[in-house]
Amino acid sequence: MANRRPIIAGNWKMYKTSQEARDFALSIQEKVEDVTDLDMVVCAPFTALHILKEELEESIIHIGAQNMYHEEAGAYTGEISPMMLLDMACTYVIIGHSERREHMKENDEIIAKKVKMALDKGLVPILCVGENLSMREGGKAIGFVRGQVEKNLMDLTPTELRKVVVAYEPIWAIGTGKTASSQDAQEICAGIRTTIAGISGTVAQEIRILYGGSVKSSNIAEIMAQPDIDGALVGGASLDPQGFAELIHNAR
Ligand code: PEP
């Protein structure tokens, strides 16, 4: 079994002005300064990234974005390129969050391109996958999620693939207060690992797989105890520095 370094990544979604981002960054640092055994990431809106660059670039907290475009530069009004994220000291970028798949109609083809481009430019993509409630109730969750992983990652070389982080986020559990049982989450995350082994057997044990969906400081320990879950992608519970720091400590 590979020794995978855990990750706790916060996803602020469309929250926090630049002042609120600065307050968060100033507050959280001392609360997690002793955390050296896992990777901490804060994925902020584009407009707050320059603040996090100022406050966190030299810290042990990594900076991430929540999306990017799949071209380096060009006539793509309103889009943000991977080069711009690097310029903001980002090392991570969330790709294919279910809210983007649903509201912005991002499909598997676009998401696969974004993953590839992020890797090309040296960013770590956090690829989000997950089923909706009717798939879950119809017993189709595992097949659907494995299909997403295959479509989003199949064109990567083993060297590229081993850098990807996958976040399993059942859509029905995001922001709803409902969490998948740790057994159900483990089953899907194990299925994701098996799918990756099918793309490139050698790297599957190295890839970090996160769970996301109403993760809180009270349930993180149980989630982390699962053998194929290497951390969490956290939405609502990442907004308050005190609560997020507590969640991080409980994940260890
Ligand atoms: C998310 O935004 O990816 C997420 C999992 O949100 P929440 O933790 O609020 O369910």
Side-chain angles (χ1 to χ4, degrees):
M1 177 76 67
N3 192 12
R4 298 184 293 267
R5 187 173 162 81
I7 306 182
I8 300 293
N11 171 19
W12 285 354
K13 310 193 191 215
M14 200 172 72
Y15 294 103
K16 291 201 192 290
T17 61
S18 49
Q19 187 56 51
E20 289 164 344
R22 195 182 303 280
D23 292 345
F24 177 99
L26 292 173
S27 165
I28 196 157
Q29 285 186 66
E30 56 164 31
K31 294 180 173 58
V32 296
E33 65 190 359
D34 59 333
V35 178
T36 51
D37 47 358
L38 54 77
D39 288 337
M40 296 172 282
V41 189
V42 174
C43 298
F46 295 133
T47 49
L49 291 175
H50 68 294
I51 303 292
L52 297 193
K53 177 178 171 167
E54 278 172 35
E55 303 297 348
L56 297 180
E57 189 173 14
E58 307 298 327
S59 81
I60 54 173
I61 302 171
H62 300 276
I63 305 169
Q66 300 171 13
N67 178 39
M68 54 162 250
Y69 198 59
H70 52 77
E71 296 288 343
E72 224 172 283
Y76 303 104
T77 302
E79 293 294 336
I80 298 285
S81 79
M83 315 314 289
M84 294 167 184
L85 298 186
L86 292 170
D87 187 38
M88 291 294 111
C90 288
T91 46
Y92 288 80
V93 57
I94 296 173
I95 303 284
H97 192 283
S98 59
E99 287 152 15
R100 294 202 61 82
R101 291 182 192 253
E102 186 186 341
H103 304 305
M104 282 70 180
K105 307 291 171 225
E106 288 193 10
N107 60 30
D108 287 317
E109 194 187 334
I110 288 170
I111 289 162
K113 281 187 191 169
K114 290 186 175 193
V115 169
K116 178 99 178 139
M117 177 56 78
L119 289 164
D120 275 358
K121 300 301 167 200
L123 290 159
V124 176
I126 302 176
L127 170 70
C128 298
V129 293
E131 82 285 359
N132 64 23
L133 190 58
S134 70
M135 289 169 196
R136 164 65 51 178
E137 289 175 344
K140 296 192 164 62
I142 185 110
F144 178 75
V145 170
R146 291 186 63 166
Q148 282 184 314
V149 171
E150 217 157 67
K151 286 181 226 156
N152 298 164
L153 300 181
M154 74 189 164
D155 291 333
L156 303 182
T157 65
T159 312
E160 290 171 329
L161 198 53
R162 60 164 47 89
K163 296 182 189 133
V164 173
V165 174
V166 180
Y168 166 55
E169 298 206 306
I171 296 169
W172 50 270
I174 298 178
T176 58
K178 291 184 198 152
T179 321
S181 73
S182 43
Q183 292 77 9
D184 285 347
Q186 161 59 24
E187 187 193 346
I188 303 273
C189 291
I192 291 172
R193 206 174 296 287
T194 307
T195 309
I196 292 168
I199 302 171
S200 176
T202 51
V203 304
Q205 284 304 320
E206 292 172 46
I207 288 199
R208 294 180 292 175
I209 302 176
L210 315 182
Y211 169 78
S214 299
V215 174
K216 306 183 270 286
S217 58
S218 55
N219 60 17
I220 184 69
E222 190 187 340
I223 291 163
M224 295 294 286
Q226 302 306 311
D228 283 291
I229 300 181
D230 307 308
L233 182 55
V234 183
S238 73
L239 291 169
D240 166 54
Q242 177 67 38
F244 193 45
E246 194 177 303
L247 189 155
I248 289 167
H249 285 287
N250 290 353
R252 302 163 75 195

